[in-house]
Amino acid sequence: MSFPARRMRRLRKSPAMRRLVAETVLTPGDLVAPLFVREGISTPNPIASMPGVVQHTVETATLEAKRLAALGVPAVIVFGVPELKDAAGSGASDRDGIVQVALRSLRDSLGDDVVLMADLCLDEYTDHGHCGLLGSDGSVDNDATIERYAEVAVVQAEAGASVVAPSGMMDGQVAAIRRGLDGAGREEVAILAYAAKYASALYGPFRDAVDVKIAGGGDRRSYQQDPRNLVEALAEVRLDIEEGADMVMVKPALAYLDVISAVSGNVDVPVAAYHVSGEYAMVKAAAGHGWIDGPAVALEHLLAVKRAGASFILTYFAGEVAEAIGG
Ligand code: PBG
């Protein structure tokens, strides 16, 4: 066999050689762990469609964040499950709302050891399950909603969030939130914009986790992106950065690796990717049947997302994978 026919084999000879030439590195520092905190429970609640993930009490969420920090995971993103929901999603901006209580507890016990992110949306808090306020015709009212988002951002910042992450896909939401935060003297709080968020069928288990059902069997296609579009994702990202986003996100991850790749090649801010609940559930379900090696597939998924260009990854595998790969 003539040179360089066996070069590829030479460079795969031993684990050390493979490590030497590895192009992509995944460390616990690349991971952000989502935490669900539920109001009115005294012990954690398992989520049937997300084996290994629970709805936390404030106390167990705080313990879990400490455990994650010790494993080298630098950030958590907090989602709230309130006891009561209403049309305006009041719980989202209530100073004693569940996310605010959790953020205060996390901040008190962890200080700056973990970056505290707060998902900023109304769907967990509205009785109709939409990400915004409904107008008289029943559709989501963009401009009224972004004013609510600005209020929520300030309350989350006051409770201890270092990063707010608007996930509602309203036009102008980043600008409204930035104005709200700056107006309240919270210039130091960063915005991680869910910039290219698709209307995906992969969010099902998440909606179990936060008890969200969209009224009338509706969907989010009038505000989330159409999976057929890539160029539109670049426009969404550009607009969010112009409005003041400090970091942008692509969501979901694996079915949108082309989007992650295009976005990361186009911007000079960190690009996050969200490996979502359905992506997690598929791995857990197949592994539970013994059909795939779950931990190996999880690692392969996250490596692929990193290789596509993500700076960091929100994933329900954060703790498990951080334990497996070590610091
Ligand atoms: C909206 C929100 C959703 C997710 C994160 N933020 C659900 C939706 O848009 O319906 C999904 C996350 C996941 O599936 O893991 N607040």
Side-chain angles (χ1 to χ4, degrees):
M1 226 179 271
S2 66
F3 173 85
R6 291 193 56 215
R7 171 182 298 156
M8 297 306 172
R9 295 292 305 279
R10 280 193 284 274
L11 298 186
R12 290 173 199 151
K13 212 165 169 318
S14 65
M17 182 69 93
R18 293 195 288 273
R19 203 162 72 238
L20 178 71
V21 300
E23 299 170 38
T24 308
V25 184
L26 183 75
T27 74
D30 298 320
L31 308 175
V32 179
L35 293 179
F36 298 108
V37 191
R38 182 176 187 134
E39 195 168 34
I41 55 171
S42 50
T43 51
N45 245 352
I47 301 159
S49 52
M50 300 178 74
V53 180
V54 300
Q55 294 175 327
H56 281 287
T57 68
V58 171
E59 290 68 31
T60 65
T62 308
L63 289 173
E64 176 63 1
K66 272 194 189 153
R67 188 184 77 91
L68 290 161
L71 288 170
V73 174
V76 297
I77 180 162
V78 184
F79 294 88
V81 191
E83 248 175 330
L84 296 174
K85 307 190 186 216
D86 60 23
S90 316
S93 53
D94 180 346
R95 283 185 170 68
D96 298 317
I98 183 64
V99 160
Q100 282 65 251
V101 174
L103 286 169
R104 277 196 292 270
S105 164
L106 289 162
R107 174 65 72 187
D108 282 351
S109 55
L110 291 153
D112 281 332
D113 292 352
V114 173
V115 177
L116 293 183
M117 302 184 170
D119 182 79
L120 200 174
C121 200
L122 294 182
D123 66 322
E124 293 91 350
Y125 304 91
T126 53
D127 50 14
H128 45 71
H130 276 293
C131 295
L133 305 174
L134 301 186
S136 47
D137 64 352
S139 70
V140 175
D141 180 339
N142 193 86
D143 295 4
T145 299
I146 64 178
E147 291 317 311
R148 285 279 296 130
Y149 287 174
E151 281 169 28
V152 176
V154 172
V155 172
Q156 291 178 335
E158 284 169 356
S162 310
V163 178
V164 295
S167 61
M169 291 297 282
M170 297 298 131
D171 287 341
Q173 63 184 13
V174 174
I177 290 166
R178 188 71 268 161
R179 259 198 313 275
L181 288 170
D182 292 353
R186 297 284 170 179
E187 293 87 355
E188 79 287 2
V189 173
I191 300 176
L192 164 59
Y194 286 69
K197 176 174 176 181
Y198 286 87
S200 170
L202 289 160
Y203 306 148
F206 173 92
R207 292 183 194 159
D208 295 341
V210 293
D211 293 346
V212 169
K213 266 188 214 57
I214 306 178
D219 59 50
R220 306 204 193 292
R221 286 175 221 230
S222 75
Y223 40 102
Q224 298 181 346
Q225 271 193 258
D226 188 322
R228 289 173 288 200
N229 298 345
L230 167 64
V231 174
E232 187 191 33
L234 299 178
E236 281 281 7
V237 164
R238 179 173 44 78
L239 286 167
D240 281 359
I241 293 174
E242 281 169 10
E243 289 178 32
D246 301 290
M247 302 179 276
V248 293
M249 192 197 298
V250 175
K251 178 187 173 187
L254 286 176
Y256 299 87
L257 292 178
D258 56 331
V259 181
I260 296 171
S261 170
V263 169
S264 66
N266 255 280
V267 303
D268 58 5
V269 298
V271 176
Y274 201 142
H275 184 257
V276 301
S277 59
E279 300 178 277
Y280 175 85
M282 289 193 288
V283 176
K284 285 289 174 180
H289 282 289
W291 294 341
I292 60 171
D293 174 345
V297 173
L299 198 57
E300 194 173 329
H301 276 189
L302 299 184
L303 263 177
V305 177
K306 226 14 249 285
R307 193 183 63 237
S311 323
F312 58 90
I313 309 168
L314 288 76
T315 173
Y316 305 98
F317 281 116
E320 203 178 309
V321 165
E323 255 177 37
I325 60 184

